[in-house]
Amino acid sequence: MEDNKNTSPIGFFDSGVGGLSVLARFRNLLPNENIIYFGDTVHLPYGNKSKEELIGYAKNILDFMQSKGVKAVVIACNTSSAQAYDTIKDLYSFKIYPIIQTAAKAIAVNNYKRIGVFATEATVKSGKYTEELKKYNTNIEVKELASKNWVSIVEKTSKNLAEDTAHIKDEISEMLEFKPDKIILGCTHYPYLMNEFVKYAPKELFLDPAEIFVKYVKHDLDVNHSLNTSNEISYEEFYVSSNPKEFVENAKIFYEVKTLPEIVTMP
Ligand code: DGL
């Protein structure tokens, strides 16, 4: 039976390690919460998958989260929020927090006139950042650009690292022509390229939606009396759909994963 301290875990999921960047920011605010993290490494990367595929993956992961008795799920992946959230949002009894829809709402109320977005191909294709920003600020102008190789630069899997890194300059230049008030880094990995971005534009121009997102999730759990109020030390469980050792290794950029994740095979 559910106790009144809300000790049930919060689920986080992403295509792989990227969502750990969101978890890291969440942990800074809410160290007391119990966590179930799922990295869908067998389907990595999500950024080039179809809508149908992404909906299927999200459903399977949310079924798994349900079996773990979660009180809420954080979609820590921009691509899955963009392509799957609208379809799956009412299928479960627990609350689901999508990064794009949540962060866009908070950003839109700041009366910016022009917003740039860098994201994966699938996220840009969905136009979800534009749609959500315009929902709360009809006059806002948005330019979304897909940055194909940035995930692989961060994960060091790029086959042409020097070339891909040099190309960042052109991508930032193209965005700067739009004269954005702010540029949303609409993919879990992109804040980790800040050292490159600041060579071409001031740091203050860039927005990390995960920072805004986790603040909202904390606020919402709080107003719904869902925060874990127990004094027990919190736990974290990690699951992947393949390659647990590689996951722990790649995770180091974002978060320290202390235990080898268990492999969960999805239908
Ligand atoms: N985590 C994904 C996102 O935020 C990027 C990585 C991927 O393409 O799988 O969009």
Side-chain angles (χ1 to χ4, degrees), residues 137-260:
N137 179 351
T138 45
N139 296 323
I140 205 164
E141 282 182 58
V142 186
K143 181 182 176 79
E144 299 197 39
L145 283 180
S147 24
K148 283 189 194 143
N149 297 316
W150 291 6
V151 168
S152 52
I153 298 174
V154 176
E155 292 202 7
K156 298 191 173 60
T157 52
S158 163
K159 295 199 173 63
N160 301 300
L161 189 60
E163 209 177 289
D164 286 344
T165 307
H167 193 51
I168 291 175
K169 184 182 181 188
D170 306 327
E171 295 171 290
I172 297 285
S173 301
E174 188 182 343
M175 183 60 88
L176 291 180
E177 278 171 27
F178 175 64
K179 300 200 181 333
D181 299 321
K182 290 283 174 191
I183 300 172
I184 298 174
L185 299 174
C187 169
T188 48
H189 292 57
Y190 297 173
Y192 296 80
L193 287 171
M194 192 56 87
N195 285 345
E196 290 299 321
F197 300 152
V198 294
K199 292 179 187 166
Y200 317 113
K203 191 169 187 239
E204 303 72 57
L205 195 58
F206 298 94
L207 270 183
D208 175 0
E211 297 279 359
I212 299 156
F213 179 42
V214 295
K215 276 188 202 148
Y216 174 82
V217 175
K218 179 183 176 183
H219 167 77
D220 197 65
L221 290 169
D222 192 8
V223 296
N224 287 299
H225 308 288
S226 295
L227 288 173
N228 183 0
T229 53
S230 148
N231 292 325
E232 281 166 35
I233 294 172
S234 62
Y235 65 81
E236 295 181 342
E237 291 175 13
F238 293 92
Y239 299 87
V240 290
S241 43
S242 69
N243 301 329
K245 284 190 184 141
E246 208 175 280
F247 178 89
V248 174
E249 202 43 44
N250 291 342
K252 286 178 183 157
I253 317 162
F254 303 108
Y255 195 72
E256 194 190 350
V257 176
K258 295 189 184 114
T259 53
L260 194 64

Side-chain angles (χ1 to χ4, degrees), residues 14-15 18 44-47 76-79 120 123 151 186-189:
D14 179 53
S15 55
L44 181 90
Y46 274 6
C77 174
N78 289 266
T79 307
T120 64
T123 299
V151 168
C187 169
T188 48
H189 292 57

Side-chain angles (χ1 to χ4, degrees), residues 101 103-115 128-142 181-182 184:
Q101 291 81 347
K105 185 176 178 182
I107 294 166
V109 296
N110 285 308
N111 280 324
Y112 297 124
K113 290 192 175 63
R114 300 163 80 79
I115 290 283
K128 192 52 83 180
Y129 266 108
T130 305
E131 184 187 322
E132 293 295 319
L133 288 162
K134 280 184 177 290
K135 208 186 259 181
Y136 305 101
N137 179 351
T138 45
N139 296 323
I140 205 164
E141 282 182 58
V142 186
D181 299 321
K182 290 283 174 191
I184 298 174

